[in-house]
Amino acid sequence: MAINSATQVVTGTVRLSYLNVFKPRQMEGQDPKYSACLLIPKSDTATIKAIKAACEAARLASAALFSGKVPEKLKLPLHDGDGEMPNGGEYGPECKGCYVLNCSSKSQPGLVDRQVQPILDSTELYSGCWGRVDLNFFAYNNQGNRGIGAGLNNIQKIRDDEPLGGKRRAQDAFTAVEDEDDDLGL
């Protein structure tokens, strides 16, 4: 399959949430997938504009999926974090002031740090940290469910932040102990 550069986007810095990038997760009735939810600050107008253009390019390239006709309207993957979720629920407070985009892949995404060195430690990438994400957008038509999806290709971690979901990372909870004779309060 040829890669359409018009449907490819590398985001600006976004907050990562619901990260499943070291081990795929299986939803009921679906194949296991790696996934992430991106919280894109509304102030990042360049990323929002690029995503909207890539979604439109994917829609225009979708004629083969829809009996040779390009549909006028498809479900889009970009949602307003200040509004309602597509299922009618309410977004969490971490989504306020952001657009929300879910992306996934059947194959593991490339994971790198600021210096583009591979991230192998699963504690380094967590829900709440910030990064840039390489995405591809595509049209889908599954049993009457029609829209534009976001494929997860790669993630570059940019910086740490408070973990989302209430669990602290061990390295944020403890300090190094110099030697075993240190007074640990026992």
Side-chain angles (χ1 to χ4, degrees), residues 98-159:
C98 296
Y99 283 100
V100 178
L101 185 139
N102 291 306
C103 54
S104 64
S105 175
K106 289 182 182 177
S107 58
Q108 185 176 22
L111 308 170
V112 296
D113 63 16
R114 291 174 64 94
Q115 285 74 43
V116 196
Q117 296 302 306
I119 295 176
L120 304 174
D121 181 353
S122 64
T123 64
E124 284 300 310
L125 270 175
Y126 55 92
S127 294
C129 69
W130 293 77
R132 296 172 59 217
V133 183
D134 173 20
L135 302 164
N136 66 289
F137 293 87
F138 57 90
Y140 61 85
N141 185 9
N142 297 328
Q143 302 168 356
N145 190 12
R146 302 163 26 138
I148 303 295
L152 173 59
N153 296 325
N154 302 291
I155 296 176
Q156 179 183 33
K157 180 181 176 183
I158 300 297
R159 70 176 182 268

Side-chain angles (χ1 to χ4, degrees), residues 17-25 33-36 109 127 152:
S17 183
Y18 293 102
L19 277 180
N20 294 295
V21 293
F22 287 95
K23 181 179 173 187
R25 184 172 168 208
K33 291 183 181 179
Y34 297 90
S35 61
S127 294
L152 173 59

